[in-house]
Amino acid sequence: DSGVTQTPKHLITATGQRVTLRCSPRSGDLSVYWYQQSLDQGLQFLIQYYNGEERAKGNILERFSAQQFPDLHSELNLSSLELGDSALYFCASSQGVAGGTGELFFGEGSRLTVL
Amino acid sequence: SQQGEEDPQALSIQEGENATMNCSYKTSINNLQWYRQNSGRGLVHLILIRSNEREKHSGRLRVTLDTSKKSSSLLITASRAADTASYFCATDAISGSNYKLTFGKGTLLTVNP
């Protein structure tokens, strides 16, 4: 058990809909990362937050947004969903020390299926 | 975009044999990490090697890093059926004013009992 909790584990929805994925980081970790894993694209970095503020942005679509709340949990919002958004979405957390990325602790992921 | 590329894409060996996976990358890095993923599960961190280190050991794992060739290798000795998983290298590099950890597409290791 990594200590990172993601909900929901599975989600099935229709094209055009909006969903919210939730992540609770490991106790004491200030950084939260979101990754998308699909068969064709592999594991793609979406976005990172540190103590409530956006720190780094990757290949995140404009239809997607995220935030980290004062209690450090994070949410990833996916809107106007398309078939190609079907993927496994991972949240990871780390202590977030300066000078680079250390060991990440991953949740079990949220599997999104868009029909 | 992928920074690290693992080789081979798939590897099948017998229990007790050693497994070697390679990772090549394109830009200067701060550190390189290896992760393991059992089918459909979350990734688990195995080992981190900094850019000024050449070799690191952890149990049955041995990681090497050659920054001149921009490559790393992960060796799993005396493999077990339970080692069956996908293995990913991830490179930590500066991008703009922040560091980003970028994953390769992974090597699928199958250890046959």
Side-chain angles (χ1 to χ4, degrees):
Chain A
D1 182 6
S2 67
V4 178
T5 304
Q6 287 188 249
T7 57
K9 287 186 166 45
H10 300 275
L11 194 53
I12 301 173
T13 189
T15 54
Q17 295 298 304
R18 172 190 169 95
V19 298
T20 297
L21 309 181
R22 195 178 191 279
C23 170
S24 293
R26 223 170 48 121
S27 177
D29 284 354
L30 298 178
S31 266
V32 168
Y33 306 74
W34 286 98
Y35 284 85
Q36 177 195 57
Q37 186 177 39
S38 60
L39 281 174
D40 55 342
Q41 294 292 322
L43 205 63
Q44 296 283 323
F45 169 68
L46 297 178
I47 199 163
Q48 179 204 354
Y49 282 84
Y50 175 79
N51 203 19
E53 298 209 353
E54 183 184 305
R55 175 168 272 190
K57 217 166 185 176
N59 303 324
I60 188 165
L61 300 171
E62 283 191 15
R63 300 183 286 108
F64 296 179
S65 65
Q67 55 183 324
Q68 185 180 28
F69 294 87
D71 67 351
L72 301 178
H73 91 270
S74 178
E75 291 181 358
L76 178 66
N77 300 296
L78 314 175
S79 61
S80 302
L81 285 168
E82 301 175 359
L83 296 178
D85 297 328
S86 295
L88 198 48
Y89 290 84
F90 284 108
C91 169
S93 73
S94 74
Q95 291 184 327
V97 296
T101 310
E103 175 181 358
L104 297 191
F105 294 86
F106 279 80
E108 290 297 310
S110 292
R111 183 172 294 280
L112 172 66
T113 303
V114 182
L115 301 176
Chain B
S1 60
Q2 306 301 133
Q3 157 79 302
E5 292 287 337
E6 291 92 341
D7 170 60
Q9 289 186 331
L11 179 61
S12 182
I13 60 174
Q14 296 300 122
E15 224 171 8
E17 293 180 341
N18 295 341
T20 300
M21 289 159 266
N22 302 296
C23 171
S24 59
Y25 56 92
K26 296 172 186 167
T27 65
S28 295
I29 60 170
N30 175 53
N31 68 58
L32 186 144
Q33 303 178 33
W34 285 90
Y35 287 79
R36 164 197 167 123
Q37 183 183 31
N38 284 46
S39 181
R41 304 291 301 276
L43 282 77
V44 175
H45 183 266
L46 295 176
I47 201 162
L48 180 154
I49 186 164
R50 301 188 192 287
S51 60
N52 61 354
E53 296 176 310
R54 292 295 166 259
E55 189 170 310
K56 211 160 179 182
H57 296 254
S58 176
R60 293 184 296 114
L61 306 180
R62 172 179 169 252
V63 168
T64 62
L65 178 65
D66 186 336
T67 52
S68 65
K69 294 182 180 176
K70 292 187 169 57
S71 68
S72 173
S73 68
L74 170 67
L75 169 68
I76 304 175
T77 60
S79 64
R80 306 164 182 168
D83 294 328
T84 294
S86 290
Y87 292 82
F88 295 87
C89 74
T91 50
D92 185 41
I94 196 90
S95 178
S97 57
N98 295 295
Y99 288 93
K100 289 182 187 175
L101 189 67
T102 307
F103 286 78
K105 291 204 170 185
T107 292
L108 176 59
L109 173 66
T110 302
V111 181
N112 301 298

Coordinates of all heavy atoms in Angstrom, one line a residue, chain A residues 28-86:
Chain A
G28 N 2.0 13.7 4.7 CA 3.2 14.5 4.8 C 3.8 14.9 3.4 O 4.6 15.7 3.3
D29 N 3.2 14.3 2.3 CA 3.7 14.7 1.0 C 3.0 15.9 0.5 O 1.8 16.1 0.6 CB 3.4 13.5 0.0 CG 4.4 12.4 0.1 OD1 5.3 12.5 0.9 OD2 4.2 11.4 -0.6
L30 N 3.8 16.9 0.0 CA 3.3 18.1 -0.4 C 3.0 18.2 -1.9 O 2.3 19.1 -2.4 CB 4.2 19.3 0.0 CG 4.5 19.4 1.5 CD1 5.5 20.6 1.7 CD2 3.2 19.8 2.2
S31 N 3.7 17.3 -2.7 CA 3.6 17.4 -4.1 C 2.6 16.3 -4.6 O 2.7 15.1 -4.2 CB 4.9 17.1 -4.8 OG 5.6 18.3 -5.1
V32 N 1.8 16.6 -5.6 CA 0.9 15.7 -6.2 C 1.1 15.8 -7.7 O 1.2 16.9 -8.3 CB -0.6 16.0 -5.9 CG1 -1.5 15.2 -6.8 CG2 -0.9 15.7 -4.5
Y33 N 1.2 14.6 -8.4 CA 1.4 14.5 -9.8 C 0.2 13.8 -10.4 O -0.3 12.8 -9.8 CB 2.7 13.8 -10.1 CG 3.9 14.3 -9.5 CD1 4.2 14.1 -8.1 CD2 4.9 15.0 -10.2 CE1 5.3 14.5 -7.5 CE2 6.1 15.4 -9.6 CZ 6.3 15.2 -8.3 OH 7.4 15.7 -7.7
W34 N -0.2 14.1 -11.6 CA -1.1 13.4 -12.4 C -0.5 12.9 -13.7 O 0.2 13.6 -14.4 CB -2.4 14.2 -12.7 CG -3.2 14.5 -11.6 CD1 -3.3 15.6 -10.8 CD2 -4.3 13.6 -11.0 NE1 -4.2 15.5 -9.8 CE2 -4.9 14.3 -9.9 CE3 -4.8 12.4 -11.4 CZ2 -5.9 13.7 -9.2 CZ3 -5.8 11.8 -10.7 CH2 -6.4 12.5 -9.6
Y35 N -0.7 11.6 -13.9 CA -0.3 10.9 -15.2 C -1.4 10.2 -15.8 O -2.3 9.7 -15.2 CB 0.8 9.9 -14.9 CG 2.2 10.5 -14.5 CD1 2.5 10.9 -13.2 CD2 3.2 10.6 -15.5 CE1 3.8 11.4 -13.0 CE2 4.4 11.1 -15.3 CZ 4.7 11.5 -14.0 OH 6.0 12.0 -13.7
Q36 N -1.3 10.1 -17.2 CA -2.3 9.4 -17.9 C -1.6 8.2 -18.6 O -0.6 8.4 -19.2 CB -2.9 10.3 -19.0 CG -3.9 9.6 -19.9 CD -4.2 10.4 -21.2 OE1 -3.3 10.8 -21.9 NE2 -5.5 10.8 -21.4
Q37 N -2.2 7.0 -18.5 CA -1.5 5.9 -19.1 C -2.5 5.2 -20.1 O -3.6 4.8 -19.8 CB -1.1 4.8 -18.1 CG -0.3 3.7 -18.7 CD 0.2 2.7 -17.7 OE1 -0.5 2.4 -16.7 NE2 1.4 2.2 -17.8
S38 N -2.1 5.2 -21.4 CA -2.9 4.5 -22.4 C -1.9 3.6 -23.2 O -0.7 3.8 -23.1 CB -3.5 5.5 -23.3 OG -2.6 6.3 -24.0
L39 N -2.5 2.7 -23.9 CA -1.7 1.7 -24.6 C -0.9 2.3 -25.7 O 0.3 2.0 -25.9 CB -2.6 0.6 -25.3 CG -3.1 -0.5 -24.3 CD1 -4.1 -1.4 -25.0 CD2 -2.0 -1.3 -23.7
D40 N -1.4 3.3 -26.4 CA -0.7 3.9 -27.5 C 0.3 5.0 -27.1 O 1.4 5.2 -27.7 CB -1.6 4.4 -28.6 CG -2.7 5.4 -28.0 OD1 -2.8 5.4 -26.8 OD2 -3.3 6.1 -28.8
Q41 N 0.0 5.8 -26.0 CA 0.8 6.9 -25.6 C 1.7 6.6 -24.4 O 2.6 7.4 -24.1 CB -0.1 8.1 -25.2 CG -0.9 8.7 -26.4 CD 0.1 9.3 -27.4 OE1 1.1 10.0 -27.1 NE2 -0.2 9.1 -28.7
G42 N 1.5 5.4 -23.8 CA 2.3 5.2 -22.6 C 1.9 6.0 -21.4 O 0.8 6.5 -21.3
L43 N 2.9 6.3 -20.6 CA 2.6 7.1 -19.3 C 3.0 8.5 -19.6 O 4.1 8.9 -19.8 CB 3.4 6.5 -18.2 CG 2.9 6.7 -16.8 CD1 1.6 6.0 -16.6 CD2 3.9 6.2 -15.8
Q44 N 1.9 9.4 -19.7 CA 2.1 10.8 -20.0 C 2.0 11.7 -18.8 O 0.9 11.6 -18.1 CB 1.1 11.2 -21.1 CG 1.3 10.5 -22.4 CD 2.5 11.1 -23.2 OE1 2.8 12.3 -23.2 NE2 3.2 10.2 -23.9
F45 N 2.9 12.5 -18.5 CA 2.8 13.5 -17.4 C 1.8 14.6 -17.8 O 1.9 15.2 -18.8 CB 4.2 14.1 -17.1 CG 4.2 15.3 -16.2 CD1 3.9 15.1 -14.9 CD2 4.5 16.5 -16.7 CE1 3.9 16.2 -14.0 CE2 4.5 17.6 -15.8 CZ 4.2 17.5 -14.5
L46 N 0.9 14.8 -16.8 CA -0.1 15.8 -17.1 C 0.2 17.1 -16.3 O 0.3 18.2 -16.9 CB -1.5 15.3 -16.7 CG -2.1 14.1 -17.4 CD1 -3.4 13.7 -16.9 CD2 -2.1 14.4 -18.9
I47 N 0.3 17.0 -15.0 CA 0.5 18.2 -14.2 C 1.0 17.9 -12.8 O 0.8 16.8 -12.3 CB -0.9 19.0 -14.2 CG1 -0.6 20.5 -13.8 CG2 -1.9 18.3 -13.3 CD1 -1.8 21.4 -14.1
Q48 N 1.7 18.9 -12.2 CA 2.2 18.7 -10.8 C 1.8 19.9 -10.0 O 1.8 21.0 -10.5 CB 3.7 18.6 -10.8 CG 4.3 18.4 -9.4 CD 5.7 18.9 -9.3 OE1 6.4 19.2 -10.3 NE2 6.2 18.9 -8.1
Y49 N 1.4 19.6 -8.8 CA 1.1 20.7 -7.8 C 2.0 20.5 -6.6 O 2.4 19.4 -6.2 CB -0.4 20.6 -7.3 CG -1.3 21.2 -8.3 CD1 -1.8 20.5 -9.4 CD2 -1.7 22.6 -8.2 CE1 -2.6 21.0 -10.3 CE2 -2.5 23.1 -9.2 CZ -3.0 22.4 -10.2 OH -3.8 22.9 -11.2
Y50 N 2.4 21.6 -6.0 CA 3.2 21.6 -4.8 C 2.5 22.5 -3.8 O 2.4 23.7 -4.0 CB 4.6 22.0 -5.0 CG 5.4 22.1 -3.8 CD1 6.0 21.0 -3.2 CD2 5.7 23.4 -3.2 CE1 6.7 21.1 -2.0 CE2 6.4 23.5 -2.1 CZ 6.9 22.3 -1.5 OH 7.7 22.4 -0.3
N51 N 2.1 22.0 -2.7 CA 1.5 22.7 -1.6 C 0.4 23.7 -2.1 O 0.4 24.9 -1.7 CB 2.6 23.5 -0.8 CG 2.2 23.8 0.6 OD1 1.3 23.2 1.1 ND2 2.8 24.8 1.2
G52 N -0.4 23.3 -3.0 CA -1.5 24.1 -3.4 C -1.3 24.9 -4.7 O -2.3 25.4 -5.3
E53 N -0.1 24.9 -5.2 CA 0.2 25.7 -6.3 C 0.7 24.8 -7.5 O 1.4 23.9 -7.3 CB 1.3 26.8 -6.0 CG 0.8 27.7 -4.9 CD 1.5 29.1 -5.1 OE1 2.4 29.3 -5.9 OE2 1.1 30.0 -4.3
E54 N 0.3 25.2 -8.7 CA 0.8 24.5 -9.9 C 2.3 24.7 -10.0 O 2.8 25.8 -10.0 CB 0.1 25.0 -11.1 CG 0.4 24.3 -12.4 CD -0.2 24.9 -13.6 OE1 -1.5 25.0 -13.6 OE2 0.5 25.3 -14.6
R55 N 3.0 23.6 -10.2 CA 4.5 23.7 -10.3 C 5.0 23.4 -11.7 O 5.9 24.0 -12.2 CB 5.1 22.8 -9.3 CG 6.7 22.7 -9.4 CD 7.3 22.1 -8.3 NE 7.6 23.0 -7.2 CZ 8.3 22.8 -6.1 NH1 8.8 21.6 -6.0 NH2 8.5 23.7 -5.2
A56 N 4.4 22.4 -12.3 CA 4.9 22.0 -13.7 C 3.7 21.4 -14.5 O 2.7 20.9 -13.9 CB 6.0 20.9 -13.6
K57 N 3.7 21.7 -15.8 CA 2.7 21.3 -16.6 C 3.2 20.4 -17.8 O 4.3 20.7 -18.3 CB 2.0 22.5 -17.2 CG 0.5 22.4 -17.4 CD -0.1 23.8 -17.7 CE -1.6 23.8 -17.7 NZ -2.2 25.1 -17.8
G58 N 2.5 19.4 -18.1 CA 3.0 18.5 -19.2 C 2.0 18.5 -20.3 O 1.5 19.6 -20.7
N59 N 1.6 17.4 -20.8 CA 0.8 17.3 -22.0 C -0.7 17.3 -21.6 O -1.5 16.4 -22.0 CB 1.1 16.0 -22.7 CG 2.5 15.9 -23.2 OD1 3.1 16.9 -23.5 ND2 3.1 14.7 -23.1
I60 N -1.1 18.3 -20.8 CA -2.5 18.3 -20.4 C -3.3 19.1 -21.3 O -3.0 20.2 -21.7 CB -2.6 18.9 -18.9 CG1 -4.0 18.7 -18.4 CG2 -2.1 20.3 -18.9 CD1 -4.1 18.9 -16.9
L61 N -4.5 18.5 -21.8 CA -5.3 19.2 -22.7 C -6.1 20.3 -22.0 O -6.3 20.3 -20.8 CB -6.4 18.1 -23.3 CG -5.8 16.9 -24.0 CD1 -6.9 15.9 -24.3 CD2 -5.1 17.3 -25.3
E62 N -6.5 21.3 -22.9 CA -7.3 22.4 -22.3 C -8.6 22.0 -21.7 O -9.1 22.7 -20.8 CB -7.5 23.4 -23.4 CG -6.3 24.3 -23.8 CD -6.6 25.4 -24.7 OE1 -7.8 25.8 -24.8 OE2 -5.6 26.0 -25.2
R63 N -9.1 20.8 -22.2 CA -10.4 20.3 -21.6 C -10.2 19.7 -20.2 O -11.1 19.4 -19.5 CB -10.9 19.2 -22.5 CG -11.2 19.6 -23.9 CD -11.8 18.5 -24.7 NE -10.9 17.5 -25.1 CZ -10.8 16.3 -24.6 NH1 -11.7 15.9 -23.7 NH2 -9.9 15.4 -25.0
F64 N -8.9 19.6 -19.8 CA -8.6 19.0 -18.5 C -8.1 20.1 -17.6 O -7.4 21.0 -18.0 CB -7.5 18.0 -18.6 CG -7.9 16.7 -19.4 CD1 -6.9 15.7 -19.6 CD2 -9.1 16.6 -20.0 CE1 -7.2 14.6 -20.3 CE2 -9.4 15.4 -20.8 CZ -8.5 14.5 -20.9
S65 N -8.5 20.0 -16.3 CA -8.0 21.0 -15.3 C -7.8 20.2 -14.0 O -8.3 19.2 -13.8 CB -8.9 22.1 -15.2 OG -10.1 21.7 -14.6
A66 N -6.9 20.8 -13.2 CA -6.7 20.2 -11.9 C -6.5 21.2 -10.8 O -6.3 22.4 -11.1 CB -5.4 19.3 -12.0
Q67 N -6.6 20.8 -9.6 CA -6.3 21.7 -8.5 C -5.9 20.9 -7.3 O -6.2 19.7 -7.2 CB -7.4 22.7 -8.2 CG -8.7 22.0 -7.9 CD -9.8 23.1 -7.6 OE1 -9.6 24.1 -7.1 NE2 -11.1 22.8 -8.1
Q68 N -5.1 21.6 -6.4 CA -4.8 21.0 -5.1 C -5.3 21.9 -4.0 O -5.1 23.1 -4.0 CB -3.3 20.8 -5.0 CG -2.8 20.1 -3.7 CD -1.3 19.9 -3.6 OE1 -0.6 20.7 -4.0 NE2 -0.9 18.9 -2.9
F69 N -6.0 21.3 -3.1 CA -6.7 22.0 -2.1 C -5.9 22.2 -0.8 O -4.8 21.6 -0.7 CB -8.0 21.2 -1.7 CG -9.0 21.2 -2.9 CD1 -8.9 20.2 -3.8 CD2 -10.0 22.1 -3.0 CE1 -9.8 20.1 -4.9 CE2 -10.9 22.1 -4.1 CZ -10.8 21.1 -5.0
P70 N -6.3 23.1 0.1 CA -5.5 23.3 1.3 C -5.2 22.1 2.1 O -4.2 22.0 2.8 CB -6.4 24.3 2.1 CG -7.1 25.0 1.1 CD -7.4 24.0 0.0
D71 N -6.1 21.1 2.1 CA -5.8 19.8 2.8 C -4.9 18.9 2.0 O -4.6 17.8 2.4 CB -7.0 19.1 3.2 CG -7.8 18.5 2.0 OD1 -7.4 18.8 0.9 OD2 -8.8 17.8 2.2
L72 N -4.4 19.4 0.9 CA -3.4 18.7 0.0 C -4.0 17.7 -1.0 O -3.3 17.1 -1.8 CB -2.2 18.1 0.7 CG -1.4 19.2 1.5 CD1 -0.3 18.5 2.3 CD2 -0.9 20.3 0.6
H73 N -5.3 17.4 -0.8 CA -5.9 16.4 -1.8 C -6.0 17.1 -3.1 O -6.0 18.4 -3.2 CB -7.2 15.8 -1.3 CG -8.4 16.6 -1.7 ND1 -9.0 17.6 -1.0 CD2 -9.2 16.4 -2.8 CE1 -10.1 18.0 -1.6 NE2 -10.2 17.4 -2.7
S74 N -6.1 16.4 -4.2 CA -6.1 17.0 -5.5 C -7.3 16.4 -6.3 O -7.7 15.3 -6.1 CB -4.8 16.7 -6.2 OG -4.8 17.2 -7.5
E75 N -7.7 17.2 -7.2 CA -8.8 16.7 -8.2 C -8.4 17.0 -9.6 O -7.8 18.0 -9.9 CB -10.1 17.4 -7.8 CG -10.7 16.9 -6.5 CD -12.1 17.5 -6.2 OE1 -12.5 18.4 -7.0 OE2 -12.6 17.2 -5.2
L76 N -8.7 16.0 -10.5 CA -8.4 16.2 -11.9 C -9.8 16.2 -12.6 O -10.5 15.2 -12.4 CB -7.6 15.1 -12.4 CG -7.3 15.1 -13.9 CD1 -6.4 16.3 -14.3 CD2 -6.6 13.8 -14.4
N77 N -10.1 17.3 -13.2 CA -11.4 17.4 -13.9 C -11.2 17.2 -15.4 O -10.4 17.9 -16.0 CB -12.0 18.8 -13.7 CG -12.2 19.0 -12.2 OD1 -13.0 18.4 -11.6 ND2 -11.5 20.0 -11.6
L78 N -12.0 16.3 -16.0 CA -11.9 16.0 -17.4 C -13.3 16.4 -18.0 O -14.3 15.8 -17.6 CB -11.6 14.5 -17.6 CG -10.5 13.9 -16.8 CD1 -10.4 12.4 -17.0 CD2 -9.2 14.6 -17.1
S79 N -13.3 17.3 -19.0 CA -14.6 17.7 -19.5 C -14.6 17.4 -21.0 O -13.6 17.1 -21.7 CB -14.8 19.2 -19.2 OG -13.8 19.9 -19.8
S80 N -15.9 17.5 -21.6 CA -16.1 17.3 -23.0 C -15.4 16.0 -23.5 O -14.6 16.0 -24.4 CB -15.6 18.5 -23.9 OG -16.3 19.7 -23.5
L81 N -15.6 15.0 -22.7 CA -14.9 13.7 -22.9 C -15.0 13.2 -24.3 O -16.1 13.2 -24.9 CB -15.3 12.7 -21.9 CG -14.8 13.0 -20.5 CD1 -15.5 12.1 -19.5 CD2 -13.3 12.8 -20.4
E82 N -13.9 12.6 -24.8 CA -13.8 12.0 -26.1 C -13.4 10.5 -25.9 O -12.9 10.2 -24.9 CB -12.8 12.7 -27.0 CG -13.2 14.2 -27.2 CD -12.1 14.9 -28.0 OE1 -11.0 14.2 -28.4 OE2 -12.2 16.1 -28.2
L83 N -13.7 9.7 -26.9 CA -13.3 8.3 -26.8 C -11.8 8.1 -26.5 O -11.5 7.2 -25.7 CB -13.6 7.6 -28.2 CG -15.1 7.5 -28.6 CD1 -15.2 6.8 -29.9 CD2 -15.9 6.8 -27.5
G84 N -11.0 9.0 -27.0 CA -9.6 8.9 -26.8 C -9.1 9.2 -25.4 O -7.9 9.0 -25.1
D85 N -10.0 9.7 -24.6 CA -9.6 10.0 -23.2 C -9.7 8.8 -22.3 O -9.3 8.8 -21.2 CB -10.6 11.1 -22.7 CG -10.5 12.4 -23.4 OD1 -9.4 12.7 -23.9 OD2 -11.5 13.1 -23.5
S86 N -10.2 7.7 -22.9 CA -10.3 6.4 -22.1 C -8.8 6.0 -21.8 O -8.0 5.9 -22.7 CB -10.9 5.3 -23.0 OG -12.3 5.6 -23.2

